[in-house]
Amino acid sequence: MIRLDNLRYRYRPGVPLALDGVSVSIARGSIHGLLGPNGAGKTTLISLLAGLLVPQEGCIVVDGEPLNDWRAARLNAIALVPQDYAFYPMLTVAENLAFFAGVQGLPRRERQCQCAKALAFSRLETVANQRAGELSGGLRRRLNLAVGLTGEPEILLLDEPTVGVDSQSRRFLLEAVRQFAATGRTVLYTSHYMEEVEAVCTDVSIIDHGKVLLAGSAAEVKCGRTLEQVFMELTGHSLRD
């Protein structure tokens, strides 16, 4: 579905390239794990896919179209769920979803429908009228995900979606990611928890210093080893370093 072709990006002259010739293919309906040490280029790559940055060299193609053309015809088709909480703590859960659905330009009736779907998918109905700032860490992560789902995206970019949550909330979020991809939609998933990547990702890319070191299906990449072993061999780091 997505092809990244020879992407290069430098934040300012004189500093190393954040991305140095990155080429990766991401299949429709896959959960593609993007792994790398801190500073490897993961956030830059996600920012390019989300449209927050523009490639300086290379191109991004989605379904055979340049990313900008594809997005122009499908304004809400790519959603970014960032590591930081992306909602207003003084608003209730329902008010946050209504606000972000409105920002995406959904008609009123469709807004109500999509907000109800996002609430149900994230199992937040019982706290819909509670202020977001009063939620537990796990429920805040669910709300972060629900906000990203209000536009019914085809591509979901998840940047460390389970940071700081308990094991029960982590299991729920991972299952939600599986359910999303099971509908034929596509997930790009970054995490510092190797067990999460092992559990949910169908495909994996490992990057370091802005370069792709290895990419393929999870089985191909592991080749009888654990992802942690492969990652250590390629980068010399633990994923959590």
Side-chain angles (χ1 to χ4, degrees), residues 20-236:
D20 187 5
V22 168
S23 296
V24 174
S25 293
I26 301 173
R28 181 182 297 279
S30 67
I31 304 173
H32 194 104
L34 181 63
L35 306 179
N38 290 328
K42 303 186 300 295
T43 298
T44 303
L45 186 54
I46 286 178
S47 297
L48 289 169
L49 281 165
L52 301 175
L53 298 174
V54 178
Q56 294 165 341
E57 293 184 45
C59 63
I60 302 174
V61 176
V62 184
D63 283 340
E65 297 181 59
L67 175 63
N68 286 344
D69 295 344
W70 189 85
R71 283 178 62 94
R74 307 163 185 82
L75 294 179
N76 302 320
I78 299 179
L80 169 62
V81 178
Q83 180 176 344
D84 295 329
Y85 294 127
F87 51 76
Y88 293 100
M90 295 305 294
L91 297 181
T92 68
V93 168
E95 288 168 344
N96 267 289
L97 293 179
F99 172 79
F100 285 103
V103 166
Q104 294 182 80
L106 300 179
R108 181 178 297 275
R109 184 173 296 178
E110 188 177 346
R111 280 205 304 266
Q112 294 172 345
C113 179
Q114 293 307 323
C115 288
K117 284 184 180 180
L119 270 177
F121 185 87
S122 302
R123 297 183 192 171
L124 291 170
E125 300 100 322
T126 59
V127 294
N129 296 317
Q130 189 172 336
R131 285 186 177 179
E134 299 171 352
L135 299 176
S136 67
L139 291 177
R140 291 184 187 196
R141 287 294 169 194
R142 292 192 197 186
L143 177 55
N144 232 28
L145 176 62
V147 167
L149 296 176
T150 54
E152 282 206 309
E154 296 179 42
I155 298 170
L156 189 60
L157 309 174
L158 298 176
D159 191 6
E160 304 284 350
T162 65
V163 169
V165 304
D166 57 78
S167 58
Q168 182 179 356
S169 295
R170 177 171 285 113
R171 285 194 298 271
F172 171 83
L173 288 165
L174 295 180
E175 183 55 33
V177 172
R178 290 191 192 95
Q179 290 178 20
F180 180 89
T183 64
R185 294 178 286 181
T186 305
V187 179
L188 184 65
Y189 191 98
T190 76
S191 176
H192 278 88
Y193 299 103
M194 191 65 78
E195 62 274 17
E196 291 182 7
V197 178
E198 292 263 16
V200 301
C201 291
T202 55
D203 301 277
V204 175
S205 295
I206 298 175
I207 68 172
D208 195 13
H209 299 294
K211 295 179 179 291
V212 175
L213 305 182
L214 187 63
S217 71
E220 291 170 342
V221 168
K222 290 191 293 184
C223 195
R225 299 163 292 174
T226 67
L227 273 179
E228 182 71 33
Q229 289 172 326
V230 175
F231 190 86
M232 286 284 291
E233 291 172 9
L234 291 174
T235 68

